[in-house]
Amino acid sequence: MRSEARRAARKAESSTILRVLARAGFAANGVVHILIGSLVLAVALGGRGESDQAGAFKALAAAPFGFALLWVLAAALWALALWHVLDGILAPRGSATQKWGRRVSEWSQAAVFLVIGILAASVALGARPDADETAADVSRGVLFVPGGVFVLGGVGAGFAIAGVAFAVMGVRRSFVAKMRLPDGPVGHAVTALGAAGFIAKGLSLMSMGVLLLVAAFKVDPDAAGGLDAAIAALLEMPFGPALTLGIGAGLVLYGVFCGFRGRYADL
């Protein structure tokens, strides 16, 4: 049964159509991050807006033919999620720890792209979600169950750890191993974009993790929130505006890098 699943996954992953759609998914993820980064920059400069995925999708929905673009983004992100699911099934044979470590990584990424695609589709259908309000409501529900403080703290720690992992990938440039970059200026430029983008992405995830950890420590669900709340909290800190500008610019760079990743990803 496992061999049949691997054969089916290998056949699906070798499909030219799925490869093209997966590359489009990387590009779609880039568009999302460029929009988020632009909103973060606007907020850092004194503007108003929701500097997270929901805010980005709502801004896109307000544009001409925005709902159609949202469906295109959703479809591409779902295709990328499917690619990661198949990649997890086809994890290289080896020790159980290595194989399942790879699967957890691939399937976690699949879940993220699936959820972002669903969010894009829901906004295209007319929903107007508030990520910070949702995070507070979920945190409130978690805190009221036995052991909820530890669950919420664990989720916050997970975000913080993921942020550290992204930042380390940026510093070490380990993302290059999953790409086929050309030699010369183009390859160096894409690597530099990725390094800056991964570090900025890591900082944004770490800030969200800190908010959830604070909410768990204080047993205060209202202290929880998404990226928008994290940016608002960051702006209140010393040197916060400058750091926020750096994160916003870095997210834009990460988005541009994702576009190149769609072109040069080793699929």
Side-chain angles (χ1 to χ4, degrees), residues 103-206:
R103 285 179 173 172
V104 169
S105 174
E106 294 294 336
W107 292 343
S108 296
Q109 292 179 74
V112 169
F113 291 125
L114 175 64
V115 170
I116 297 175
I118 291 173
L119 180 60
S122 68
V123 173
L125 290 171
R128 294 297 179 266
D130 187 317
D132 290 335
E133 185 178 333
T134 300
D137 289 342
V138 172
S139 300
R140 186 173 293 107
V142 170
L143 288 174
F144 277 119
V145 302
V149 170
F150 300 103
V151 173
L152 186 60
V155 173
F159 270 100
I161 291 171
V164 172
F166 264 87
V168 169
M169 288 175 67
V171 172
R172 298 181 62 182
R173 293 166 168 75
S174 55
F175 54 85
V176 173
K178 296 184 178 181
M179 302 176 70
R180 295 181 178 178
L181 291 174
D183 296 326
V186 173
H188 294 310
V190 173
T191 300
L193 280 172
F198 268 86
I199 292 171
K201 176 77 172 177
L203 289 173
S204 65
L205 289 173
M206 280 187 273

Side-chain angles (χ1 to χ4, degrees), residues 46-58:
R48 294 184 178 182
E50 296 177 53
S51 49
D52 53 21
Q53 286 97 340
F57 291 146
K58 283 186 251 185

Side-chain angles (χ1 to χ4, degrees), residues 40-41 43-46 231 234-248:
V40 171
L41 287 172
V43 170
L45 293 172
I231 293 299
L234 189 60
L235 287 171
E236 299 298 324
M237 298 172 59
F239 305 107
L243 185 56
T244 302
L245 282 171
I247 291 176

Side-chain angles (χ1 to χ4, degrees), residues 7 9 18 60 82 93 239 247:
R7 281 197 296 270
L18 182 57
L60 188 57
L82 176 58
R93 298 184 186 276
F239 305 107
I247 291 176

